[in-house]
Amino acid sequence: MAIKREDIKIACICLSNQNRSMEAHAQMLRRGMKRVWSYGTGYHVKLPGMSIDQPNVYSFGTPYAAIAADLERKNKDFYSQIGLLDLVRRNAKIKTAPEQFQQLEIVDFDLIFTFEERVYEQVILQLETKPPVAMKQCHIINVETRDDATEAVKGGEFAALMAEAMLRSNDLDDEIYQIISSFQQRPAAPFLLHHISFV
């Protein structure tokens, strides 16, 4: 049975629910998609620090506003200059705090966009360990995206455009392969992976 367009639920997932997943989340919201959520699959939320060997580490659930306040306290000028404060403040306008995908008791999405192959594999593994509740197909699509601000914008836009095409589909489960293939053939398209799980 075809999924009604207005019922399609979308998740955007990266490691820390800070950069790539939140950029895609923001771009989808700007395009009028209402049923969008975002998550991370890491053990902790890791953000750049003042040196490579000293990242800023937070627990999932730590409010973005609290993360921003902590970064300001540590070195406001430095974290403003590298764009991290702007990123965290942007996130705070979208939702309260980063969330960990593995903490979800029930997964009920039609589309899941990941932005790194290991995250894609973590999501698939997590779905395979949960008994299906809705018994519906969930399409997991990896849009391989480097974890920096510029590439996150490109990856987020690509995922949002794909989501728009999928929302226009009359039968997503039947037409998704054609949609993915058409996007993979675009110039400079990121590497795409697709997997179906039942949720």
Side-chain angles (χ1 to χ4, degrees):
M1 186 173 71
I3 310 165
K4 292 181 180 178
R5 298 172 201 180
E6 63 271 19
D7 293 336
I8 290 177
K9 298 177 182 177
I10 303 170
C12 302
I13 306 177
C14 65
L15 272 177
S16 291
N17 198 197
Q18 291 285 345
N19 184 27
R20 294 167 291 180
S21 63
M22 289 302 289
E23 179 62 42
H25 191 161
Q27 292 212 30
M28 290 181 191
L29 290 176
R30 284 198 295 270
R31 286 172 165 79
M33 299 175 214
K34 306 293 185 188
R35 298 165 72 80
V36 182
W37 293 262
S38 58
Y39 304 94
T41 59
Y43 292 108
H44 304 283
V45 174
K46 283 188 179 181
L47 293 172
M50 296 187 66
S51 63
I52 294 175
D53 60 343
Q54 291 185 318
N56 290 287
V57 180
Y58 304 94
S59 299
F60 279 97
T62 304
Y64 291 115
I67 294 173
D70 185 56
L71 295 174
E72 284 187 8
R73 179 185 59 79
K74 288 176 177 176
N75 194 322
K76 182 177 181 179
D77 290 342
F78 175 77
Y79 291 116
S80 294
Q81 185 177 5
I82 66 169
L84 194 54
L85 273 173
D86 284 343
L87 179 125
V88 175
R89 289 170 181 151
R90 183 273 316 268
N91 295 347
K93 293 176 182 177
I94 296 171
K95 64 182 205 174
T96 302
E99 300 171 87
Q100 188 183 46
F101 181 69
Q102 293 91 326
Q103 292 178 0
L104 287 176
E105 291 185 12
I106 296 174
V107 177
D108 183 21
F109 298 108
D110 303 288
L111 293 172
I112 294 176
F113 287 94
T114 63
F115 298 89
E116 183 176 340
E117 190 168 356
R118 66 171 162 162
V119 174
Y120 172 80
E121 291 169 353
Q122 289 171 330
V123 167
I124 292 170
L125 181 62
Q126 180 71 9
L127 293 178
E128 288 178 350
T129 62
K130 287 181 176 288
V133 176
M135 284 306 296
K136 68 177 183 181
Q137 290 188 51
C138 174
H139 298 277
I140 303 103
I141 300 145
N142 187 62
V143 179
E144 193 66 25
T145 305
R146 194 167 66 244
D147 191 9
D148 65 50
T150 301
E151 292 302 312
V153 171
K154 293 178 184 176
E157 181 179 24
F158 196 88
L161 290 171
M162 287 186 75
E164 281 186 326
M166 292 170 184
L167 288 170
R168 289 194 298 268
S169 170
N170 291 316
D171 188 338
L172 180 60
D173 290 338
D174 186 53
E175 297 174 3
I176 192 165
Y177 297 102
Q178 181 181 349
I179 295 169
I180 292 172
S181 177
S182 69
F183 272 84
Q184 186 65 89
Q185 293 172 32
R186 291 188 174 197
F191 179 61
L192 301 177
L193 293 168
H194 174 235
H195 179 83
I196 298 174
S197 291
F198 283 86
V199 296

